[in-house]
């Protein structure tokens, strides 16, 4: 069985060693601090970025340059017969479209998958995809299974800063002022690739309780949940403890949120993501 190549971006949170051993090629997004650009996870870690973010207000991100994708695809078409590209939501970044444009320029056939999300779910899509390939599934079958993951994933965020949401255009000026005056907490979720406001809740404690209620509804269908935080390990650990009290058998994982999310939602942001398993998207299927 010939190996296939996987192309993704740095929002996938994949372990570099896993990527190296499984034909996964990660193209880094750029993180910009005071006009100085860094390759995500190569020239700066998420933890280092959040330290800089605290010190500087002028932070942003950008997609990888198309030339970087073209160069990669020119290399891969000489080594692989099939390539799958899985990228962060096209509603939030131009990375997916840039990747496919680069493949066209390099004249290489690529199966493109818009994950409609970022972080932990993308990692799961690729890790499961690698295992499905090792089990003998075709690229078409793998694509169908990954699309099933997309249909069965849940991703919720409690943003750490309404100001950052306002800067990113997700809150109007009047919504920002009203939210700050009433001390409203937002519960956000990914919906068809976009981040939307799911609920507005008066206290952080009640917002966490509501998030746990949503998770509880899916407990019979999931084995794992990922807790993500933007430089807020203390609250992430507290949330993990509450999850373990509610569902002792559920496996939990804590990871530092990808910096792109922190830029838009603010330092201190918490998030939960999980995938409802079925006989199509399970590794055991």
């Amino acid at each position: 069985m010939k190996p296939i190549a996987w192309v993704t971006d740095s929002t996938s949170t994949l372990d570099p060693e896993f990527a190296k051993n499984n034909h996964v090629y990660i193209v880094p997004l750029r993180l910009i601090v005071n006009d100085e650009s860094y390759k995500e996870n190569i020239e700066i870690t998420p933890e280092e970025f959040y330290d800089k973010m605290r010190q500087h207000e002028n932070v942003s991100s950008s997609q990888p340059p198309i030339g970087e994708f073209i160069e990669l695809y020119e290399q891969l078409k000489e080594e692989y017969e099939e390539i799958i590209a899985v990228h962060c939501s096209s509603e939030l970044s131009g990375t997916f479209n840039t990747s496919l444009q680069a493949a066209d320029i390099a004249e290489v056939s690529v199966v493109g998958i818009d994950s409609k999300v970022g972080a932990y779910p993308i990692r799961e899509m690729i890790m499961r995809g690698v295992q499905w390939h090792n089990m003998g599934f075709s690229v078409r079958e793998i694509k169908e299974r990954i699309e099933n993951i997309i249909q069965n994933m849940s991703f919720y965020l409690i943003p750490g800063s309404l100001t950052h949401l306002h800067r990113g255009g997700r809150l109007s000026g009047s919504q920002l002022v009203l939210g700050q005056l009433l001390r409203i907490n937002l519960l956000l979720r990914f919906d068809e690739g976009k981040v939307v406001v799911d609920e507005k809740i008066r206290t952080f404690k009640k917002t966490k309780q509501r998030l746990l209620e949503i998770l509880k509804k899916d407990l019979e269908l999931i084995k794992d949940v990922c807790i993500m935080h933007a430089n807020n390990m203390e609250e992430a650990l507290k949330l993990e403890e509450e999850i373990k009290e509610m569902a002792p058998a559920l496996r939990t994982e804590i990871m530092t949120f990808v910096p792109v999310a922190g830029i838009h939602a603010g330092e201190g942001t918490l998030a939960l993501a999980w995938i409802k398993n079925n006989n199509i998207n399970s590794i055991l299927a």
Side-chain angles (χ1 to χ4, degrees):
M1 182 171 56
K2 294 183 178 180
I4 62 175
W6 293 82
V7 175
T8 188
D9 55 74
S10 51
T11 67
S12 64
T13 68
L14 275 167
D15 176 66
E17 193 65 23
F18 175 87
K20 179 181 177 182
N21 294 332
N22 291 282
H23 309 277
V24 182
Y25 298 84
I26 304 171
V27 181
L29 272 69
R30 295 331 194 243
L31 303 174
I32 303 165
V33 181
N34 284 354
D35 298 324
E36 187 171 353
S37 178
Y38 301 87
K39 292 182 179 180
E40 184 175 29
N41 294 334
I42 295 176
E43 297 173 339
I44 190 169
T45 67
E47 291 79 9
E48 289 170 341
F49 176 78
Y50 284 122
D51 285 341
K52 287 182 178 292
M53 183 174 162
R54 195 181 307 113
Q55 300 167 27
H56 305 282
E57 288 191 5
N58 187 16
V59 294
S60 60
S61 63
S62 67
Q63 66 192 50
I66 192 170
E68 203 161 315
F69 278 115
I70 294 171
E71 184 178 349
L72 175 60
Y73 284 128
E74 291 283 3
Q75 170 197 334
L76 297 183
K77 73 178 183 181
E78 302 297 328
E79 302 176 24
Y80 300 92
E81 291 186 0
E82 295 182 293
I83 303 170
I84 300 177
V86 185
H87 291 291
C88 57
S89 171
S90 63
E91 293 284 351
L92 302 178
S93 170
T95 303
F96 175 71
N97 291 326
T98 297
S99 178
L100 296 191
Q101 288 171 11
D104 285 341
I105 294 171
E107 298 182 335
V108 58
S109 177
V110 171
V111 174
I113 301 174
D114 180 352
S115 72
K116 299 185 184 297
V117 73
Y120 165 79
I122 298 184
R123 190 193 73 182
E124 288 299 298
M125 292 173 200
I126 295 174
M127 291 181 71
R128 294 187 192 191
V130 167
Q131 293 195 48
W132 288 326
H133 177 64
N134 292 337
M135 293 165 65
F137 289 101
S138 68
V139 167
R140 179 183 62 80
E141 291 170 325
I142 292 170
K143 182 176 186 290
E144 289 174 354
R145 286 169 176 260
I146 290 177
E147 287 173 343
N148 187 272
I149 290 178
I150 294 170
Q151 294 166 8
N152 285 280
M153 65 186 178
S154 295
F155 200 130
Y156 288 83
L157 306 91
I158 304 175
S161 169
L162 297 183
T163 301
H164 281 74
L165 288 175
H166 172 58
R167 287 176 184 167
R170 306 200 182 281
L171 278 184
S172 67
S174 59
Q175 287 174 321
L176 171 64
V177 172
L178 186 63
Q180 290 175 333
L181 285 174
L182 298 179
R183 297 184 179 180
I184 288 174
N185 286 264
L186 300 181
L187 183 59
L188 310 179
R189 64 180 169 85
F190 274 88
D191 180 25
E192 292 298 318
K194 297 179 181 179
V195 177
V196 300
V197 176
D198 192 65
E199 294 188 40
K200 300 175 182 178
I201 304 172
R202 283 297 294 269
T203 68
F204 176 72
K205 182 178 179 180
K206 288 181 178 179
T207 308
K208 276 205 308 179
Q209 289 174 343
R210 178 59 185 144
L211 180 52
L212 291 172
E213 289 171 4
I214 296 170
L215 172 64
K216 190 175 183 179
K217 293 178 181 178
D218 286 344
L219 284 181
E220 293 184 0
L221 300 172
I222 64 176
K223 296 179 180 178
D224 308 86
V225 63
C226 183
I227 304 162
M228 288 156 280
H229 68 95
N231 209 28
N232 194 0
M233 179 62 84
E234 182 180 352
E235 287 294 342
L237 289 169
K238 289 179 182 177
L239 185 57
E240 181 181 47
E241 187 176 334
E242 292 177 72
I243 291 172
K244 287 186 177 296
E245 289 177 1
M246 180 180 73
L250 188 63
R251 291 193 295 259
T252 58
E253 174 185 1
I254 295 177
M255 71 165 61
T256 303
F257 220 164
V258 292
V260 172
I263 289 170
H264 294 287
E267 186 177 14
T269 295
L270 284 179
L272 277 188
W274 62 91
I275 297 165
K276 290 181 285 188
N277 294 303
N278 54 42
N279 60 358
I280 298 175
N281 68 43
S282 172
I283 294 172
L284 300 178

